[in-house]
Amino acid sequence: KAGVTQTPRYLIKTRGQQVTLSCSPISGHRSVSWYQQTPGQGLQFLFEYFSETQRNKGNFPGRFSGRQFSNSRSEMNVSTLELGDSALYLCASSLAGVNEKLFFGSGTQLSVL
Amino acid sequence: LAKTTQPISMDSYEGQEVNITCSHNNIATNDYITWYQQFPSQGPRFIIQGYKTKVTNEVASLFIPADRKSSTLSLPRVSLSDTAVYYCLVGDHAGNNRKLIWGLGTSLAVNP
């Protein structure tokens, strides 16, 4: 069974631009959650999608948004990028929810210049 | 909001047992405690999950006291490949918005 796939692996953007990250969950998994990881803040929960609906949300500004498609694939968008958005963005999938065993992708390393 | 507290770092030697404790004073009634392991440039990997008492699998044990305000991950006979960051995850329920709180992680260094 293929694991969680995140694309792209690396991304370089400049301030003010927007970016879209993609996540393909494990086949059969309906929950996809997103996380931001930085050296100073550790892993922080962004949001979770289940059956195309955002079910849970962390404490991030509205510039961070996401969506999930009918095949459970998910995208995360960050608009008006700031230097502080530089981070490793991870997505995880699970069968039904974030309290279950999560399977993580390798992440997208975003650098904002 | 539930908050988790773990030691920032720990050192050990090959063959020793390592115990990492996580404090989570405001854990919700229906929440489970889950531990993950993360190597550099990789996403976290599930280690073990429990609700109460003791859970054991092929790689670790998880001890949870009756009040559930803390948990201890036990790694028996660690090897160099166990050098990683270990995260304690507790689900926090606030109304209809479940906010997941991850600890900052414990950086475990296993020395030869």
Side-chain angles (χ1 to χ4, degrees):
Chain A
K1 214 175 201 183
V4 177
T5 304
Q6 289 188 248
T7 57
R9 186 72 179 90
Y10 301 95
L11 206 50
I12 299 175
K13 292 286 187 179
T14 57
R15 280 181 300 172
Q17 287 187 312
Q18 74 164 18
V19 66
T20 299
L21 311 181
S22 179
C23 174
S24 293
I26 291 173
S27 178
H29 285 190
R30 297 170 65 187
S31 169
V32 174
S33 49
W34 288 88
Y35 305 82
Q36 182 194 65
Q37 185 171 33
T38 58
Q41 298 294 323
L43 259 160
Q44 296 186 87
F45 172 70
L46 281 155
F47 32 66
E48 182 221 359
Y49 284 86
F50 182 84
S51 292
E52 302 179 64
T53 301
Q54 186 181 89
R55 187 163 64 174
N56 299 293
K57 189 176 185 301
N59 292 325
F60 279 80
R63 300 186 297 108
F64 293 82
S65 63
R67 59 178 175 168
Q68 186 180 35
F69 302 95
S70 58
N71 61 358
S72 293
R73 189 178 72 84
S74 178
E75 288 181 347
M76 191 193 90
N77 186 77
V78 187
S79 62
T80 319
L81 284 167
E82 301 176 359
L83 296 179
D85 296 332
S86 294
L88 178 67
Y89 290 89
L90 294 158
C91 89
S93 74
S94 69
L95 282 170
V98 292
N99 233 14
E100 297 189 350
K101 182 177 179 178
L102 298 174
F103 294 82
F104 282 83
S106 296
T108 294
Q109 184 66 55
L110 172 65
S111 296
V112 182
L113 307 178
Chain B
L1 292 177
K3 177 184 175 183
T4 59
T5 304
Q6 301 175 235
I8 295 298
S9 63
M10 293 182 70
D11 278 285
S12 184
Y13 293 91
E14 285 188 290
Q16 288 189 333
E17 177 185 78
V18 171
N19 295 309
I20 307 174
T21 297
C22 177
S23 298
H24 28 78
N25 291 322
N26 297 327
I27 186 171
T29 303
N30 295 327
D31 285 336
Y32 281 72
I33 299 150
T34 313
W35 285 79
Y36 288 82
Q37 175 193 56
Q38 186 178 25
F39 298 111
S41 301
Q42 295 184 26
R45 184 179 71 172
F46 174 90
I47 300 174
I48 197 166
Q49 183 180 72
Y51 183 80
K52 219 170 192 179
T53 63
K54 177 184 174 181
V55 179
T56 297
N57 62 22
E58 62 276 8
V59 297
S61 294
L62 180 58
F63 298 92
I64 306 170
D67 65 8
R68 304 199 332 122
K69 293 186 176 182
S70 66
S71 59
T72 299
L73 174 72
S74 181
L75 304 172
R77 297 179 299 281
V78 294
S79 64
L80 296 177
S81 63
D82 292 317
T83 294
V85 178
Y86 292 82
Y87 292 94
C88 167
L89 173 62
V90 174
D92 174 66
H93 183 70
N96 292 320
N97 185 6
R98 291 184 65 89
K99 297 179 183 179
L100 296 185
I101 309 294
W102 288 65
L104 287 177
T106 297
S107 181
L108 172 66
V110 179
N111 302 292

